[in-house]
Amino acid sequence: MDHPAFCNSLAAIVGSANALTAPADMAPYLTDWRDRYEGKAWAVARPGDTTQVAAVMRLCQDFKVNVVPQGGNTGLCGAATPDNGRNLVLRLDRMNRIRDFDDVDAVLTVEAGCVLATIQEEAATRGYLFPMSLGAEGSCQIGGNIATNAGGTAVLRYGPMRDLVLGLEVVLADGSICDWLTPLRKNTTGYDLRQLFVGAEGTLGVITAACLKVFPSPVQRESAMVALADVEAALALLKHLRGQIGERLLSFEIMNKAQVDIVLEHMPGITWPMAQPTPWCVLIEVTDTLRSYDLRATLEALLGEALEAGIIDDAVLPASHQQQEALWRLRHNVSEANKRAGYGVSHDTAVPLRHQASFARRVAEGVERDFPDAQLLMVGHIGDGNIHAVIMLDPERYAAPGALNAAAAAINTLVDEATLSLGGTISAEHGIGQTNKARLIRGRGAADIRRMQAVKRALDPDGRMNPGKVFDLGAD
Amino acid sequence: MDHPAFCNSLAAIVGSANALTAPADMAPYLTDWRDRYEGKAWAVARPGDTTQVAAVMRLCQDFKVNVVPQGGNTGLCGAATPDNGRNLVLRLDRMNRIRDFDDVDAVLTVEAGCVLATIQEEAATRGYLFPMSLGAEGSCQIGGNIATNAGGTAVLRYGPMRDLVLGLEVVLADGSICDWLTPLRKNTTGYDLRQLFVGAEGTLGVITAACLKVFPSPVQRESAMVALADVEAALALLKHLRGQIGERLLSFEIMNKAQVDIVLEHMPGITWPMAQPTPWCVLIEVTDTLRSYDLRATLEALLGEALEAGIIDDAVLPASHQQQEALWRLRHNVSEANKRAGYGVSHDTAVPLRHQASFARRVAEGVERDFPDAQLLMVGHIGDGNIHAVIMLDPERYAAPGALNAAAAAINTLVDEATLSLGGTISAEHGIGQTNKARLIRGRGAADIRRMQAVKRALDPDGRMNPGKVFDLGAD
């Protein structure tokens, strides 16, 4: 009779409208965005403030219920989908208040359930920029962005989510509230425990609020689409630009022709801006807060030099804001296009920049050898060393039971071997969740997983925070 | 007979020349730079590589000897000075190799014993900038900079040490080597354990090497000394500049008149660049990698606007590199001048920028009320919210036994109360070490200290890494 008692107590804390227990009400929160996982829960709770989160955590402690924090449920690795145990899904969506803004400190304090796009708009309204930008920004929530150390298209200049977080408010499994909500940029008073929760995918505690860095709004913004022959050329261009325009370089995104074609095929209204197709292209964005010189002319001149030096084959600078947006739609629609295109085994690799070209070549050779019918898409934030290899399989060719999974596993091995032999990581920005758990041992090694388990036990001794995600707790 | 056996084994690992055991040989490493602490050690070891560090750590485990890592021994809080227990001081100074440089990734891989200035020069030789810069840069070592999450004068643009570290190599108390030496800018594969060691002051393990971010070298660099009336004016100027020159703003350093006077009095050859003294001054530095516009003219115009708006009283832009260096000598000689000037109770406060003026006022009022004979110096990185209040006491007035310590404790309480009531931190960049251990409870609170203790036990279960620093291990 634990379950009814739990649900009654939960309703008493968050209100019965926010304690979902009917299967139909819970269903949307028990599967992931890509429909790869499905789990079970005793209830889905939608607390309205941090005090309620703490009370819910204590309730779960009393009833030995595990807690699965869930933001916008847009993750790609199943980290926010419960397993089949005794779970509470903790939806943060009602905690969506902007708590504070200070324009001397240039800090925005927000609750975890704020949608990323809302935060971008809030900053813009006040004349500042919140630079985190990614495909799901219209529905992902900042708590999830922090818990997965999100990346996106502005990492090159502003860093990943970790670099944008100044303060955090976290509730631990025992219901204690860690008030680290500070706008301070410097604080050297022992261990920076906040850092553990960034990228922990909810396995150490629930992020309930954050102080975020905002930046002076750029007044000049220029983009360019560049056609080039290969990854080597992209890196030569990156070096050429970086040396002169430095941190003005906001985005440097690469796509191969197969990826561009998938977007053009599946997303109506998106067009290719050049007369000719190209084996590879790079989408560049540069910005500046200073008005007193011409950024467009600077970018044009640098690309002209690259063209003369034979580094690039062609470049298009959009003439209007609308044309600029159109270029970016091509990039931002990649995830949706790939989802529509069929079954993709998608990778989130980072390797050192110096090894990007080797990585692309090895994966292409391996896929051609072992999966000649597959299509290899390459897209990513190559300026950050992060390239997504997506291997599209035709599900009809893998109709036998288990065939698709076996193919995916073989592809993972192939890509992981290339990644790790080049000093890379199997997950640059998507995280581990459920999808990559078995592969984590390849990247981190057994000793490192034991260290993570020890840290997990220090902060969540009963192992009730998002169990079965990232790694399993050992017997130790 | 443990001690001789230990020393023999140590000599066998690092060579007898690098296993110091004679009191006279060990003496320089058993006291801190400010001569505030003195400790004991069984030996001082100078390992030559990471394998030797690991072997030394295993030896210490066998003999139950505690390990005190020590870099350049320039810290201000006694974190690198042993207590009176059974200690080994682990000097990293022989591990001073540049292991690798890659100009595609823009990453320099260095050993922990590299002197900061050497790293700056190494980067410069290759056309890049390593931006960490602080008074002790000629003798402090990068391992210590990382272990204390060093700040300095370029945090405003490039962040503190934490933001400059991409990879770390760490040896734990059990001798296991954590190979996190990666140039990757994105990696979301579970907990980022590296972050724990940044700022841990050697209490979790020994940092032996690091991958550091380097940046394109600026080709334009301009400074200005600005005279202004108060802290409010400094913040108004900061906002004015930040909105337009954005991340070109490298340094924004404040000093009050008393601090300027101390430097002028005690450091020969340093002069004040303006006709008149000023109650407060700000030293500004801006840089850019782009040559195609005039940064000096831009800065001059912005300061002209600030002068017209009545924000500032005067400004001097040096006309030559020599004049620029002279301005910076004024700032960089603060620590040395204050040391020569006598006994200072020095604080390393950060409060949110919005509260800087209140902080300065409260401290001034409190010091005037309780220590009318003392002199209040204020100097710091106000752009980062970090201001050092240094209260100079005349030791002759506090000659009675314990009187100086009692005065220092009263001053600490006064400053800490102002700091914490304004949401600040008692240590922005100097750390906790021994000096601030008793005060840590005020800043972090008991629950947070318990969390740190739990994390410490997870990684250093026997509590042998730099015991008695930052916090004591509880009985739990």
Side-chain angles (χ1 to χ4, degrees):
Chain A
M1 291 303 90
D2 267 6
H3 188 187
F6 176 83
C7 292
N8 284 338
S9 298
L10 187 66
I13 296 168
V14 297
S16 51
N18 301 308
L20 316 180
T21 52
D25 294 342
M26 294 201 290
Y29 312 120
L30 303 182
T31 56
D32 71 313
W33 180 77
R34 298 206 299 174
D35 291 325
R36 301 274 171 100
Y37 301 98
E38 195 175 342
K40 296 205 171 82
W42 269 16
V44 174
R46 300 174 64 228
D49 59 33
T50 304
T51 312
Q52 288 185 9
V53 173
V56 169
M57 299 293 265
R58 285 191 298 270
L59 179 70
C60 289
Q61 186 173 45
D62 292 344
F63 280 83
K64 297 189 177 13
V65 169
N66 298 327
V67 178
V68 182
Q70 190 176 92
N73 201 12
T74 61
L76 299 175
C77 301
T81 308
D83 63 12
N84 289 313
R86 183 190 273 213
N87 296 304
L88 175 82
V89 173
L90 195 73
R91 292 276 304 171
L92 278 301
D93 59 336
R94 285 181 63 224
M95 293 185 60
N96 61 357
R97 281 172 290 264
I98 305 290
R99 287 200 193 161
D100 186 45
F101 173 75
D102 189 280
D103 83 334
V104 186
D105 284 287
V107 166
L108 196 56
T109 304
V110 303
E111 292 185 338
C114 287
V115 168
L116 175 53
T118 308
I119 294 173
Q120 295 168 344
E121 287 156 22
E122 187 73 28
T125 305
R126 297 161 186 280
Y128 283 81
L129 171 77
F130 183 65
M132 177 59 53
S133 173
L134 44 81
E137 61 196 25
S139 50
C140 64
Q141 294 169 16
I142 196 72
N145 296 145
I146 298 170
T148 54
N149 190 20
T153 51
V155 173
L156 189 57
R157 177 164 182 176
Y158 293 101
M161 197 63 225
R162 181 183 306 283
D163 294 1
L164 303 176
V165 172
L166 288 170
L168 271 191
E169 182 185 79
V170 171
V171 183
L172 299 182
D174 63 4
S176 58
I177 299 171
C178 304
D179 179 4
W180 301 319
L181 264 190
T182 166
L184 296 175
R185 279 158 208 264
K186 291 165 74 176
N187 187 358
T188 305
T189 52
Y191 312 155
D192 189 351
L193 299 178
R194 290 171 306 178
Q195 303 290 342
L196 285 172
F197 296 85
V198 180
E201 306 186 25
T203 63
L204 293 175
V206 184
I207 295 165
T208 49
C211 292
L212 304 174
K213 286 184 199 167
V214 294
F215 298 83
S217 283
V219 294
Q220 297 197 70
R221 175 184 170 212
E222 298 296 333
S223 304
M225 180 68 89
V226 178
L228 30 73
D230 50 31
V231 173
E232 283 89 343
L235 294 172
L237 177 63
L238 176 67
K239 258 189 72 177
H240 175 65
L241 294 178
R242 190 178 63 192
Q244 294 191 61
I245 56 174
E247 283 131 41
R248 292 167 192 81
L249 196 53
L250 181 74
S251 302
F252 195 86
E253 304 279 313
I254 200 167
M255 285 184 273
N256 70 353
K257 182 171 182 303
Q259 178 63 76
V260 170
D261 289 347
I262 289 266
V263 177
L264 299 177
E265 182 183 341
H266 291 277
M267 306 305 289
I270 295 182
T271 54
W272 175 245
M274 297 185 184
Q276 297 295 323
T278 175
W280 292 84
C281 65
V282 168
L283 182 53
I284 293 168
E285 186 156 310
V286 296
T287 63
D288 203 328
T289 50
L290 197 63
R291 215 182 285 275
S292 61
Y293 75 101
D294 187 342
L295 181 59
R296 185 186 171 88
T298 303
L299 180 62
E300 234 168 353
L302 287 168
L303 291 175
E305 287 168 22
L307 198 63
E308 267 182 49
I311 297 172
I312 66 175
D313 298 329
D314 195 5
V316 171
L317 277 81
S320 68
H321 183 67
Q322 282 70 24
Q323 284 184 22
Q324 214 166 28
E325 294 299 312
L327 279 191
W328 275 98
R329 270 201 297 281
L330 192 59
R331 175 65 187 89
H332 279 313
N333 276 283
V334 159
S335 290
E336 187 60 33
N338 292 354
K339 194 183 176 188
R340 293 185 190 180
Y343 188 89
V345 182
S346 122
H347 286 265
D348 178 29
T349 307
V351 297
L353 286 169
R354 68 194 90 159
H355 297 316
Q356 289 287 330
S358 304
F359 173 75
R361 203 161 35 238
R362 285 196 206 179
V363 170
E365 286 165 5
V367 168
E368 202 166 327
R369 183 188 64 226
D370 301 340
F371 298 89
D373 56 303
Q375 210 181 0
L376 173 62
L377 319 182
M378 291 246 180
V379 53
H381 322 294
I382 193 170
D384 318 317
N386 179 195
I387 197 162
H388 303 296
V390 183
I391 293 90
M392 300 298 296
L393 300 175
D394 178 359
E396 291 184 12
R397 297 180 71 119
Y398 297 88
L404 208 53
N405 283 343
I411 289 171
N412 285 346
T413 303
L414 188 163
V415 175
D416 287 359
E417 277 169 7
T419 302
L420 297 171
S421 69
L422 296 167
T425 175
I426 61 163
S427 179
E429 59 176 10
H430 292 173
I432 301 299
Q434 303 183 55
T435 312
N436 298 320
K437 205 168 67 166
R439 296 162 64 210
L440 186 64
I441 184 84
R442 291 183 200 152
R444 293 288 294 248
D448 238 25
I449 291 178
R450 278 196 303 274
R451 290 170 200 132
M452 289 199 274
Q453 289 167 336
V455 168
K456 161 99 173 163
R457 277 188 211 100
L459 294 169
D460 174 25
D462 302 329
R464 286 189 305 98
M465 288 307 309
N466 210 6
K469 312 298 161 56
V470 187
F471 54 82
D472 291 309
L473 274 178
D476 189 0
Chain B
M1 290 302 91
D2 267 6
H3 188 186
F6 176 82
C7 293
N8 284 339
S9 299
L10 186 66
I13 295 168
V14 297
S16 51
N18 301 309
L20 316 181
T21 53
D25 294 343
M26 292 200 292
Y29 312 119
L30 303 181
T31 56
D32 71 314
W33 180 77
R34 298 206 300 174
D35 292 325
R36 302 274 170 99
Y37 301 98
E38 194 174 345
K40 296 203 170 85
W42 268 17
V44 174
R46 301 175 63 229
D49 60 32
T50 304
T51 312
Q52 288 185 9
V53 173
V56 169
M57 299 292 267
R58 284 190 299 270
L59 178 69
C60 289
Q61 186 174 45
D62 292 345
F63 280 83
K64 298 190 178 11
V65 169
N66 298 327
V67 179
V68 182
Q70 190 176 93
N73 201 12
T74 61
L76 298 174
C77 301
T81 308
D83 63 13
N84 290 315
R86 182 190 274 214
N87 296 305
L88 174 83
V89 174
L90 195 73
R91 293 275 304 170
L92 277 301
D93 58 337
R94 287 181 63 224
M95 292 184 60
N96 61 358
R97 282 172 290 265
I98 305 288
R99 287 200 194 160
D100 186 45
F101 172 75
D102 190 281
D103 82 335
V104 186
D105 284 287
V107 166
L108 196 55
T109 304
V110 303
E111 291 185 340
C114 287
V115 169
L116 175 53
T118 308
I119 294 173
Q120 294 167 346
E121 287 156 22
E122 187 73 29
T125 305
R126 298 162 185 278
Y128 283 81
L129 171 76
F130 182 66
M132 177 58 54
S133 172
L134 43 83
E137 62 196 25
S139 49
C140 64
Q141 293 169 17
I142 196 71
N145 295 146
I146 297 170
T148 56
N149 190 21
T153 51
V155 173
L156 189 57
R157 177 164 182 175
Y158 294 101
M161 198 63 224
R162 182 183 306 283
D163 294 0
L164 303 176
V165 173
L166 287 171
L168 271 191
E169 182 186 80
V170 170
V171 183
L172 299 183
D174 63 4
S176 58
I177 298 171
C178 305
D179 179 5
W180 301 319
L181 265 190
T182 166
L184 296 175
R185 281 158 207 262
K186 291 165 75 175
N187 187 357
T188 304
T189 53
Y191 311 155
D192 189 349
L193 298 177
R194 291 171 307 177
Q195 303 291 342
L196 285 172
F197 296 84
V198 180
E201 304 184 28
T203 62
L204 293 176
V206 184
I207 294 165
T208 50
C211 293
L212 304 174
K213 286 183 199 169
V214 294
F215 298 83
S217 283
V219 294
Q220 297 197 70
R221 174 185 169 212
E222 299 296 333
S223 302
M225 180 69 87
V226 177
L228 30 72
D230 51 29
V231 174
E232 283 90 343
L235 295 172
L237 178 63
L238 177 66
K239 257 188 71 178
H240 175 64
L241 293 178
R242 189 179 64 192
Q244 292 190 64
I245 57 174
E247 283 130 41
R248 292 165 190 82
L249 197 53
L250 182 73
S251 302
F252 194 87
E253 303 280 313
I254 199 166
M255 285 185 273
N256 70 353
K257 182 171 181 303
Q259 178 62 76
V260 170
D261 289 347
I262 289 265
V263 177
L264 298 177
E265 184 184 341
H266 292 277
M267 306 304 289
I270 294 182
T271 53
W272 176 245
M274 297 183 182
Q276 298 294 323
T278 175
W280 293 85
C281 65
V282 169
L283 182 53
I284 293 168
E285 186 156 311
V286 296
T287 63
D288 203 327
T289 50
L290 197 63
R291 213 182 287 275
S292 61
Y293 74 101
D294 187 342
L295 181 59
R296 185 186 172 87
T298 303
L299 179 62
E300 234 169 352
L302 286 168
L303 291 175
E305 287 168 21
L307 198 62
E308 266 181 50
I311 298 172
I312 66 174
D313 299 329
D314 196 5
V316 171
L317 277 81
S320 68
H321 183 66
Q322 284 69 24
Q323 284 185 21
Q324 213 166 30
E325 293 301 310
L327 279 190
W328 274 98
R329 271 200 298 282
L330 192 58
R331 175 65 187 89
H332 279 313
N333 276 284
V334 159
S335 290
E336 186 60 33
N338 292 354
K339 193 184 176 185
R340 292 186 190 179
Y343 188 90
V345 182
S346 122
H347 286 265
D348 178 28
T349 308
V351 297
L353 286 169
R354 69 193 89 161
H355 298 316
Q356 289 286 330
S358 305
F359 173 76
R361 202 161 36 237
R362 285 197 206 179
V363 170
E365 286 166 4
V367 169
E368 202 166 326
R369 183 188 63 226
D370 300 341
F371 299 89
D373 57 301
Q375 210 181 359
L376 174 62
L377 319 182
M378 290 247 181
V379 54
H381 322 293
I382 193 170
D384 318 317
N386 180 196
I387 197 161
H388 303 297
V390 183
I391 292 90
M392 300 298 296
L393 299 176
D394 179 357
E396 291 182 14
R397 297 180 72 118
Y398 297 89
L404 208 53
N405 282 344
I411 289 170
N412 285 346
T413 303
L414 188 162
V415 176
D416 287 359
E417 277 170 6
T419 302
L420 297 172
S421 70
L422 296 167
T425 176
I426 60 163
S427 180
E429 59 176 10
H430 292 172
I432 301 299
Q434 302 183 55
T435 312
N436 298 320
K437 204 169 66 167
R439 297 163 63 211
L440 185 65
I441 183 86
R442 291 184 201 152
R444 293 287 296 247
D448 238 24
I449 292 178
R450 278 196 303 275
R451 289 170 201 133
M452 288 198 276
Q453 289 167 335
V455 168
K456 161 101 172 160
R457 277 188 212 99
L459 294 170
D460 174 25
D462 302 329
R464 286 188 306 97
M465 288 309 309
N466 210 6
K469 313 298 163 53
V470 188
F471 54 81
D472 291 309
L473 273 178
D476 187 0

